[in-house]
Amino acid sequence: MSQNHASPQIPHDGGPGAHAPGGGVSIGSMSGGSIATGSHGRAVSVNTTGGPVPDARHQELLAAVRELLAELPEQGTRQAEDSALHAELTELQDEITSSGRAESGRLTRVLGSVRRWLGSQAAAAGAVASATAVVQGIAQLLG
C-alpha cells in the first residue's frame, strides 16, 4: 500500500528568494492563518477571538467583578467567606466572558454571596467599594 504525500520543496540554501526547481515554499515564521500550494490547493482558516462582546451593563459589572477579585486576599490567606465569594465571582466572570451575559439565577446567587460577605468579618475595608459596585451592577441587570 503506497501513500502519496505532497510536501513542499524547500530550497537547500534556505536563502530568501531561492527557488527549488518546479516551485517551492519557504516560510520563515507563521502565526495563525493557513497556506495552500499547487494548482488545486485550498486553504481554509477559521479564527476566533473569544465570546460575544458583553453589553455596557455587563461590561461594567465585569469590571467591578475583576476589581473585587483583585482586592480579595490571596488564596493562602483567605477565610472561608473569601474563598466562597472568590468562587462565585470567578464563575460569574467566566459566564460573562464566554457568553456576553449572565443568567439571572447566577446574578441572584452572586448578589447574595456579596451581601453575605459584606456582612461578615471577612470584608476588607478596601474591598467594600468594589463589592458595592458589584452589588449595584447586579441590581441594574436584575431590574
Side-chain angles (χ1 to χ4, degrees), residues 67-74 78 82 85-86 89 117 127:
E67 188 172 325
L68 181 53
L69 280 169
E71 292 181 10
L72 289 175
E74 296 295 319
R78 286 184 196 144
D82 296 329
L85 180 61
H86 186 274
L89 291 171
W117 182 81

Side-chain angles (χ1 to χ4, degrees), residues 20 46 55 63 114 138 140 143:
V46 177
D55 63 27
V114 173
I138 290 174
Q140 288 178 3

Side-chain angles (χ1 to χ4, degrees), residues 27 30-36 42-47:
I27 300 173
M30 183 170 170
S31 177
S34 57
I35 186 170
R42 182 172 177 239
V44 176
S45 180
V46 177
N47 300 305

Side-chain angles (χ1 to χ4, degrees), residues 50-102:
V53 176
D55 63 27
R57 292 186 306 169
H58 280 90
Q59 286 179 2
E60 288 173 13
L61 175 58
L62 187 57
V65 165
R66 288 177 173 158
E67 188 172 325
L68 181 53
L69 280 169
E71 292 181 10
L72 289 175
E74 296 295 319
Q75 183 151 357
T77 61
R78 286 184 196 144
Q79 296 181 19
E81 295 90 349
D82 296 329
S83 294
L85 180 61
H86 186 274
E88 289 279 351
L89 291 171
T90 300
E91 290 175 6
L92 176 59
Q93 175 182 258
D94 292 347
E95 183 174 348
I96 294 172
T97 56
S98 67
S99 69
R101 61 182 314 274

